[in-house]
Amino acid sequence: MDTLFKMVLSIHIIAGSIGLFTGTINIIRKKGDKQHVLVGKFFFYGMILNAIAGFIMSIMHHNIFLLIIAVFSFYLTATGQRFLSLKKLDKGQKPKSIDWILTSTMILFALFFIIYGVLLMISHNNFGIVLLVFGMISLLMARKDIALYRGKIKFKNYWLLLHIQRMIGAYIAALTAFLVVNNTYLPSIVAWLMPTVILTPLIFYWSRKYAIQKSVKIITE
C-alpha cells in the first residue's frame, strides 16, 4: 500500500507542478493565441491528473484537505474545458450527460462540505469555515451551470467567460494546495483563503474585459 501511495503521490506532485507552471504562464501572457491554447492543454491534463491522484490519496489516507482540493480543481478544470464545446446553449444546444454528471456530483460534494463544515464549527474547529466557503462557492457555480444548461444566457460569449472563470479558479485551487502543503508560518485559514482573495479580482477584471454586453434571447422551458 505504501508503494502504491508513493506512486500516486509522485504523479500528483508532477501533474500539480505542470498545472501550476502552465497556469502561471497563461495568466501573465497574451490570451487566445496558439501558444495560449497549447499551454492550456498542458494545464488541463496536468490539473485533471493531479485531481484524480489527489482524490485517490484522500481516500487512502482519509484526508479532507486533499478531498476538497481534488474535487474542486477537477470540477473547475473539467467544466472550464467543457464550456468551450457548449457555445450554442442559447440556440437550443443541449448539454451532454457528462455535463449533468459533473454538475450533479459537485452539488453532492458541496452539500457534504457545508454539512461537515457546520459540524466542525459546532465543535469549535475553525477549519469548518474553509469547508463552508468552498461548499457555498461550489453550490453557486452548480446553480449557474444549471441555468446555462436551460438556456438562460446573459452574455453572447458566456462560454468564453465561464472558461476564463473556471480555469483561473482551478489555478487558485492549485496555488492553494501548494501554499497549504508548504506553509510554515501563516495561520492555516489564511493559507487556505489567501489565493482566493488575491486572485478572484482577476476573474472579475477579465470577465468585464471580454464580456460582450449584448444580451441574447433567453430560452425558457
Side-chain angles (χ1 to χ4, degrees):
M1 186 64 71
D2 286 341
T3 300
L4 175 60
F5 183 82
K6 289 179 180 179
M7 289 177 60
V8 177
L9 176 60
S10 296
I11 294 173
H12 179 71
I13 293 173
I14 294 172
S17 298
I18 292 173
L20 195 57
F21 178 69
T22 54
T24 301
I25 291 175
N26 265 359
I27 281 181
I28 64 178
R29 70 176 307 280
K30 181 181 178 181
K31 309 293 183 290
D33 59 9
K34 292 182 179 180
Q35 287 73 24
H36 176 88
V37 175
L38 177 61
V39 173
K41 289 181 178 179
F42 282 97
F43 175 78
F44 172 76
Y45 288 113
M47 290 299 297
I48 290 294
L49 188 58
N50 173 265
I52 293 174
F55 183 82
I56 293 173
M57 290 191 300
S58 73
I59 301 301
M60 293 176 69
H61 277 207
H62 306 287
N63 191 317
I64 188 65
F65 156 67
L66 281 175
L67 180 63
I68 294 172
I69 293 296
V71 171
F72 207 67
S73 60
F74 185 93
Y75 175 76
L76 288 167
T77 306
T79 56
Q81 188 67 22
R82 280 297 305 155
F83 271 108
L84 293 179
S85 301
L86 297 172
K87 299 180 180 181
K88 298 182 179 180
L89 292 174
D90 57 314
K91 298 179 180 178
Q93 181 184 12
K94 300 298 182 183
K96 295 186 180 296
S97 297
I98 183 61
D99 300 309
W100 284 111
I101 290 172
L102 286 170
T103 301
S104 299
T105 302
M106 188 70 259
I107 291 174
L108 292 176
F109 274 109
L111 293 175
F112 167 72
F113 293 154
I114 292 172
I115 293 172
Y116 191 29
V118 170
L119 293 176
L120 287 180
M121 291 184 68
I122 292 175
S123 302
H124 305 289
N125 187 331
N126 288 335
F127 189 74
I129 298 174
V130 173
L131 283 166
L132 285 175
V133 170
F134 279 90
M136 292 303 299
I137 291 174
S138 299
L139 277 183
L140 290 173
M141 288 192 299
R143 179 185 178 185
K144 186 171 186 177
D145 288 352
I146 292 173
L148 291 170
Y149 296 162
R150 292 177 175 174
K152 297 179 180 179
I153 311 296
K154 293 182 179 180
F155 296 97
K156 186 174 182 180
N157 62 337
Y158 65 90
W159 53 271
L160 175 60
L161 302 182
L162 266 293
H163 175 72
I164 292 172
Q165 293 164 9
R166 299 293 167 85
M167 289 308 187
I168 295 178
Y171 176 79
I172 290 174
L175 184 58
T176 299
F178 176 80
L179 288 179
V180 170
V181 170
N182 295 282
N183 179 42
T184 57
Y185 56 92
L186 292 174
S188 178
I189 192 171
V190 173
W192 267 94
L193 299 180
M194 185 170 64
T196 298
V197 172
I198 293 176
L199 294 175
T200 295
L202 284 178
I203 296 178
F204 289 103
Y205 169 74
W206 277 316
S207 293
R208 284 195 293 265
K209 179 179 180 180
Y210 293 109
I212 296 178
Q213 296 295 328
K214 182 180 179 180
S215 298
V216 297
K217 182 179 179 181
I218 294 177
I219 299 174
T220 58
E221 294 182 352

